[in-house]
Amino acid sequence: MPLVVFCGLPYSGKSRRAEELRVALAAEGRAVYVVDDAEVLGAEDATVYGDSAREKALRGALRAAVERRLSRHEVVILDSLNYIKGFRYELYCLARAARTPLCLVYCVRPGGLSGGPRVAGADESPSRNVSVSWRPRAEEGGRPLAAGTGVLGELQAVDSVVNGRAQAEVPKELEREETRTPDFPALVTSEFEKSAEHVSGAFYPPELLEALALRFEAPDSRNRWDRPLFTLVGLEEPLPLSEMRAALFENRAPPPHQSTQSQPLASGTFLHQLDQVTSQVLAGLMEAQKSAVPGDLLKLSGTTEHLRFTRPLTMAELSRLRRQFISYSKMHPNNENLPQLANMFLQYLSQSLH
């Protein structure tokens, strides 16, 4: 069954959207399984993303959990940050090997930085692209974080000129922005969200959020492992269920790599017959060219293919081509080709010699 990968920074609504999708698919009678950080770690722990070794182990555990669940009977939803494109490519390879469709859901907080496409109207200056309202609530009461921490403290300490204005004006604007009520939606905004079973309860420090925003590799629909891509901004935008159903249940799965496929069964005498048939063809060609003139067609008994004679052929040259044909045939053994081995070898010689 299909794999749905959620991607986005913390507090972007991934868990809400994953739960909404799970409920919608379960209402249709489909078996749905959600894989998230809490299931792998036992409890949500945001500090794991501050330790590269622990984060690498977490990605490996998430990948293993998805691989165990991928089957023809369940829809697997991966609810995690998934901000590294290399990890998303690994998930794409898993779905490709399982011959199941995949789609990516990119959740973006409205008015905030998500490491991907910039917010409309944002200034091109790196120092001015920091959104104060993007920071999460520090406590359950909804009070914003204290000023002077993280990016704000660094901005207030800079003495340079930003966008042609004295830096002394910048702290005043930031101070007015800090006193404003954060413009991101509350964690609980509807009856459905109140009844959701899974709500992210991990707290991400501002420093960690800033680091994740810098490390974030936004999905790109031009990459085959990032499409089909659905971008959701905030929690107010409805989930595109009809388009997602078409992508998951109507699209064909990506074809698996040839190197991961099992070789077709071949009889135990395939190589012996291949060696015998090619040797007989070489012997017949050496005998037929003795009485041939350039332009004649060399015909062998038991074959329908012919080889046009243009110049004398040496046994060394034919033996080299025979070894190449045997090497290729051993990579693609097929019992159905046994009666046509002589004709296939003559075709190969004709294409290689002319």
Side-chain angles (χ1 to χ4, degrees):
M1 292 295 285
L3 172 63
V4 183
V5 179
F6 278 81
C7 170
L9 288 171
Y11 307 107
S12 59
K14 297 186 302 299
S15 297
R16 296 286 184 181
R17 295 299 193 171
E19 178 64 17
E20 183 178 351
L21 179 61
R22 186 195 68 81
V23 171
L25 295 179
E28 300 175 359
R30 303 183 186 276
V32 185
Y33 188 82
V34 179
V35 178
D36 54 17
D37 294 358
E39 179 193 0
V40 174
L41 297 175
E44 288 195 70
D45 183 11
T47 60
V48 69
Y49 291 100
D51 187 339
S52 60
R54 294 176 60 198
E55 183 183 355
K56 183 178 180 180
L58 173 62
R59 289 197 300 268
L62 290 173
R63 183 184 184 277
V66 170
E67 187 174 11
R68 286 194 300 267
R69 285 291 179 173
L70 275 180
S71 66
R72 299 181 180 273
H73 309 290
E74 289 182 333
V75 178
V76 180
I77 299 176
L78 178 57
D79 176 18
S80 186
L81 301 185
N82 300 320
Y83 67 94
I84 300 177
K85 63 181 179 181
F87 181 60
R88 295 197 296 267
Y89 177 73
E90 292 181 10
L91 298 173
Y92 167 80
C93 291
L94 286 181
R96 186 173 185 173
R99 299 186 181 183
T100 182
L102 172 142
C103 77
L104 182 65
V105 182
Y106 180 29
C107 297
V108 184
R109 174 171 294 283
L113 297 178
S114 298
R118 292 182 178 178
V119 181
D123 198 298
E124 293 298 325
S125 174
S127 299
R128 302 289 291 173
N129 277 337
V130 178
S131 176
V132 179
S133 62
W134 172 70
R135 296 176 300 164
R137 302 176 187 270
E139 300 293 339
E140 295 182 357
R143 293 175 297 177
L145 294 172
T149 59
V151 176
L152 295 180
E154 297 176 8
L155 285 175
Q156 293 174 354
V158 175
D159 296 329
S160 61
V161 176
V162 179
N163 292 338
R165 294 181 300 173
Q167 183 63 24
E169 300 176 2
V170 176
K172 296 180 180 180
E173 296 181 2
L174 294 177
E175 185 176 354
R176 289 196 300 269
E177 187 71 18
E178 291 168 8
T179 57
R180 188 182 306 168
T181 304
D183 58 358
F184 53 82
L187 290 180
V188 180
T189 59
S190 65
E191 293 297 330
F192 168 77
E193 291 167 351
K194 290 180 181 180
S195 62
E197 296 178 3
H198 175 69
V199 180
S200 177
F203 172 72
Y204 289 81
E207 296 79 6
L208 181 57
L209 286 174
E210 294 171 7
L212 288 174
L214 293 175
R215 303 201 305 253
F216 191 88
E217 297 175 335
D220 188 346
S221 59
R222 292 173 296 181
N223 299 328
R224 64 183 182 276
W225 57 86
D226 286 338
R227 64 172 181 258
L229 174 63
F230 300 94
T231 302
L232 303 177
V233 181
L235 296 175
E236 300 300 328
E237 184 179 350
L239 197 66
L241 290 175
S242 59
E243 292 82 356
M244 295 182 70
R245 289 192 192 96
L248 295 175
F249 305 111
E250 298 178 11
N251 282 356
R252 299 179 60 181
H257 288 288
Q258 183 178 3
S259 60
T260 62
Q261 299 306 296
S262 300
Q263 293 292 340
L265 296 177
S267 63
T269 60
F270 177 82
L271 294 180
H272 174 72
Q273 296 184 23
L274 177 63
D275 181 79
Q276 186 178 17
V277 169
T278 52
S279 297
Q280 293 175 356
V281 170
L282 290 191
L285 290 177
M286 295 299 295
E287 184 66 25
Q289 72 174 350
K290 291 180 180 179
S291 58
V293 295
D296 289 350
L297 292 177
L298 302 182
K299 301 179 181 180
L300 301 180
S301 60
T303 62
T304 58
E305 296 290 333
H306 309 296
L307 179 65
R308 184 170 296 277
F309 179 72
T310 57
R311 58 180 177 83
L313 302 175
T314 64
M315 179 59 72
E317 183 179 13
L318 293 177
S319 298
R320 177 178 58 83
L321 295 175
R322 172 176 172 267
R323 289 192 297 270
Q324 294 177 0
F325 179 76
I326 291 177
S327 298
Y328 176 79
S329 300
K330 288 193 294 185
M331 295 173 58
H332 305 82
N334 195 337
N335 292 333
E336 298 178 357
N337 295 333
L338 287 177
Q340 300 296 326
L341 280 179
N343 290 325
M344 294 169 60
F345 185 39
L346 284 174
Q347 290 179 0
Y348 181 78
L349 291 176
S350 179
Q351 295 175 1
S352 301
L353 293 172
H354 304 298

